[in-house]
Amino acid sequence: MTPRRVGGPRSAGRSPLLAPLHRMVVRLSPRRRAGLALARLRRYLPGVLLAGLAAGLAFAIAAAFFGPEAAFFAPIAAVVCVGIAAGQRARRAVEIAVGVALGLTAADLLVDLIGSGPVQLGVAVVLAMTAAVLLGTGSVLVNQAAVAAVLVIALTPQGDTHPLTRLADALIGGGVAVLLASILGPHPGRAVERAGVGILDHLIEVVRGIGDALDRVDLEHAERMLTEAGRTEERVADLDRALEAARESARLGHRRRSLHPRGPMPLLRSRMELTAATVRALARASANAVRHGQPVDARLVTALEDLAVALGELRRWAQGGNGREEARDASLRAARLASGIPPEGRPLTTGVLIGQIRSAAIDILRSTGLDQAEAVRALERSAGRADTPEDREE
């Protein structure tokens, strides 16, 4: 099968002065931006609704105890804590509530002694943050103590509200947040699966897009895929938070809502960043090949499709299916096909693409549970050594 070259890249002929601006515009079309915004909303909507419920319930409870005029900090503490409680350890949420309470108490005591004003506000912030640091807390708690101190002096009316009332008010908000996040927060197992599957779906889309860009010799699409390939960090961070919440739920004994790290997702996570890095390298090499008008062997496009199939099988395995062996077979098929392109006369970018396809196959094999030595042996049996591609099992 011979390399083919269909004209030049589609962005050829454009003014080099306008090309960077054009790429910025085409990388994210309005439709794509709207899709990303809706995806973010779907991801964060449960937490948003939970924060609203926690704020309302905290206000109602605090108002029942202290009256509506004094129930100022309960909803604030609830909103601050609910995000932490939903995605991280319960201990962190309790620390946030204590930090808010520290700031409230320090500011109230200072106002009782020397009144309010700019100087008093600055002193209250220093005292609240100092107290939080002395307790050995993290930066989030220290910052919340400072914010609470500012709110007491700058926003809330000073009157008959006792400092201990404000302290109890804040603790009510934090307690409500922790409780609701524990009961109504996202199911840890489903959250882990959703986050991991989202990463795999994104990588599948990018790998298929790389193949389309090479097939159509489309520079704009290749550069768009390069941009998309770099958008995995936020998704990986979501997966890490979901895994931590699942481990916490298991430690707390919520067996019906917990997920011990025994399924495939922790194993997939261990290779996720390396796989994403390999996909970025593939996208960069494809953009370079199209940009310089170098011929593209059709076997590379087919090999990329096989890689997308392998990632799809990983997705099926992550959801409880039997895709592990199928993922191994598809990844080795991709490496074997790409490695079969003879080295004589092929462009440098083709050699780079072949190497990255082989690296992606290793990443996928490792994601299925093979160690490095086993993965390399499987790759070399199927696709040959990198320097001797003809030495392989058919």
Side-chain angles (χ1 to χ4, degrees):
M1 189 176 295
T2 59
R4 57 193 176 85
R5 182 175 178 176
V6 187
R10 292 193 179 184
S11 62
R14 187 176 296 119
S15 168
L17 296 177
L18 297 179
L21 178 61
H22 182 80
R23 286 197 295 269
M24 290 173 62
V25 173
V26 300
R27 278 177 180 176
L28 281 180
S29 64
R31 182 175 181 180
R32 180 61 176 165
R33 285 195 186 95
L36 290 173
L38 288 175
R40 284 196 303 271
L41 179 60
R42 284 194 298 269
R43 190 160 65 248
Y44 290 110
L45 185 59
V48 170
L49 296 177
L50 190 61
L53 177 61
L57 184 58
F59 178 82
I61 294 174
F65 279 100
F66 311 121
E69 295 81 7
F72 184 82
F73 286 98
I76 293 175
V79 171
V80 169
C81 292
V82 74
I84 302 294
Q88 298 183 27
R89 296 172 295 173
R91 176 174 171 268
R92 286 289 300 277
V94 173
E95 286 181 351
I96 291 291
V98 172
V100 171
L102 275 176
L104 301 180
T105 305
D108 258 326
L109 291 174
L110 190 64
V111 167
D112 287 343
L113 291 174
I114 59 176
S116 61
V119 175
Q120 291 88 335
L121 188 147
V123 173
V125 168
V126 170
L127 290 177
M129 295 181 75
T130 300
V133 170
L134 289 175
L135 288 178
T137 57
S139 60
V140 176
L141 194 153
V142 173
N143 290 334
Q144 290 305 320
V147 169
V150 170
L151 288 174
V152 168
I153 293 181
L155 297 180
T156 59
Q158 305 301 324
D160 297 331
T161 305
H162 193 276
L164 292 179
T165 300
R166 296 193 189 279
L167 175 62
D169 193 26
L171 291 175
I172 285 174
V176 167
V178 173
L179 181 62
L180 286 183
S182 176
I183 297 174
L184 301 178
H187 189 287
R190 287 194 292 269
V192 168
E193 180 181 305
R194 184 166 55 249
V197 165
I199 297 172
L200 292 171
D201 282 341
H202 181 69
L203 293 176
I204 292 167
E205 179 185 354
V206 171
V207 169
R208 286 208 164 109
I210 294 169
D212 289 342
L214 289 174
D215 189 42
R216 305 197 316 250
V217 197
D218 188 340
L219 179 58
E220 292 174 3
H221 193 60
E223 291 183 334
R224 189 179 302 119
M225 290 303 100
L226 179 56
T227 300
E228 291 297 322
R231 298 182 186 276
T232 56
E233 283 105 357
E234 183 181 353
R235 290 177 171 86
V236 172
D238 287 342
L239 177 57
D240 286 340
R241 286 191 290 269
L243 284 167
E244 177 59 29
R247 294 186 187 103
E248 176 200 2
S249 188
R251 287 194 300 268
L252 294 176
H254 298 169
R255 298 183 184 276
R256 296 179 62 185
R257 290 175 46 81
S258 65
L259 174 76
H260 281 283
R262 290 193 294 256
M265 195 56 71
L267 176 61
L268 292 173
R269 169 62 187 92
S270 68
R271 303 296 302 178
M272 202 73 80
E273 286 171 328
L274 288 174
T275 305
T278 303
V279 171
R280 284 196 297 272
L282 274 169
R284 187 174 297 109
S286 70
N288 287 334
V290 176
R291 183 180 296 109
H292 297 298
Q294 295 181 345
V296 175
D297 194 296
R299 283 171 286 190
L300 289 175
V301 178
T302 306
L304 287 167
E305 177 58 29
D306 285 335
L307 279 184
V309 170
L311 290 168
E313 294 298 337
L314 282 184
R315 181 189 193 278
R316 186 160 69 94
W317 182 45
Q319 293 179 298
N322 298 316
R324 179 161 64 173
E325 293 301 324
E326 290 83 354
R328 292 175 179 174
D329 292 341
S331 64
L332 291 173
R333 188 166 62 245
R336 184 167 58 249
L337 187 59
S339 299
I341 300 174
E344 295 80 10
R346 71 187 182 196
L348 177 62
T349 51
T350 296
V352 174
L353 285 166
I354 293 171
Q356 294 303 329
I357 289 172
R358 291 172 65 94
S359 295
I362 290 288
D363 291 333
I364 292 171
L365 292 172
R366 293 291 309 276
S367 297
T368 64
L370 299 184
D371 62 27
Q372 181 70 18
E374 291 170 333
V376 170
R377 281 196 299 270
L379 175 69
E380 293 183 348
R381 280 198 304 267
S382 178
R385 291 172 56 90
D387 52 349
T388 56
E390 69 280 0
D391 180 23
R392 61 184 183 273
E393 294 181 2
E394 298 297 340

